[in-house]
Amino acid sequence: MDKTTTTLPSAPLWRRIAAMFYDTLLLLALTLLTTGLYLFALVLILGAEEVKIRSAQNAFDPLLASILLFVLFGFFAKFWTVSGQTLGMQVWRVRVQNVDGTMIRLNQCLLRFMIGMVSLGLGGLGFWWMLIDKDKKTWHDRYSMSNVVLLPPKPKKRS
């Protein structure tokens, strides 16, 4: 990448939260679709009555929870390793990248995802951390050795 990518400012917390809101809507749809496909497959394999009995006995399905975890991680891993931006991040002009401006690797995605989930589970504490951090980094920025930067506006096309 060129030198300008290394000097981009850190994305402000409000932009990160706005991008997360957009992505949450997409992830909700993805979760509903995945759950629907899972239940459809389960009905085909076990039959509708057996699925009803199992659901009544135990509301938590560890297999479904595991599948959803992999699907959600896959969403972020795909976007972060290819362009550095989820769809919500594209709208709000923020990108996750390495310090040198390159895209993050899969192991960094896994760290960001896991630490981000822990942070959200603690009321977003890892996100709020950036307000007191000298480098404006969240917990998952620090642990994955990556930055979330604010991209400049795209130049308007002349007609």
Side-chain angles (χ1 to χ4, degrees):
M1 295 236 143
D2 63 29
K3 280 268 194 215
T4 58
T5 57
T6 58
T7 59
L8 292 171
S10 181
L13 182 59
W14 72 267
R15 278 190 182 267
R16 293 178 188 217
I17 291 172
M20 284 174 46
F21 176 74
Y22 276 48
D23 287 335
T24 298
L25 297 175
L26 294 169
L27 292 172
L28 180 61
L30 188 59
T31 300
L32 290 172
L33 177 66
T34 303
T35 302
L37 291 172
Y38 172 80
L39 292 174
F40 179 72
L42 212 56
V43 167
L44 288 178
I45 295 167
L46 300 176
E49 282 305 310
E50 181 65 24
V51 172
K52 282 182 189 176
I53 292 168
R54 284 180 176 216
S55 295
Q57 291 174 347
N58 186 8
F60 179 73
D61 185 340
L63 179 58
L64 176 59
S66 298
I67 291 169
L68 290 173
L69 191 64
F70 279 108
V71 166
L72 296 178
F73 171 69
F75 172 88
F76 289 107
K78 160 76 169 83
F79 284 108
W80 287 342
T81 58
V82 173
S83 67
Q85 296 177 287
T86 60
L87 297 174
M89 293 170 84
Q90 289 173 27
V91 171
W92 288 98
R93 296 187 353 257
V94 296
R95 179 176 63 212
V96 62
Q97 62 184 31
N98 287 310
V99 177
D100 64 0
T102 60
M103 294 303 104
I104 64 173
R105 297 176 312 279
L106 192 59
N107 62 331
Q108 290 173 286
C109 289
L110 183 58
L111 277 170
R112 283 190 71 79
F113 182 75
M114 298 305 288
I115 301 297
M117 286 181 33
V118 169
S119 172
L120 285 172
L122 295 172
L125 188 58
F127 290 90
W128 298 112
W129 182 262
M130 78 173 286
L131 296 175
I132 61 169
D133 187 270
K134 64 180 172 66
D135 298 320
K136 302 285 187 223
K137 289 188 173 210
T138 62
W139 288 351
H140 41 284
D141 293 339
R142 287 236 172 257
Y143 286 104
S144 67
M145 293 183 290
S146 59
N147 296 322
V148 177
V149 296
L150 177 61
L151 299 173
K154 291 183 180 178
K156 295 185 181 187
K157 295 181 181 179
R158 294 182 180 180
S159 339

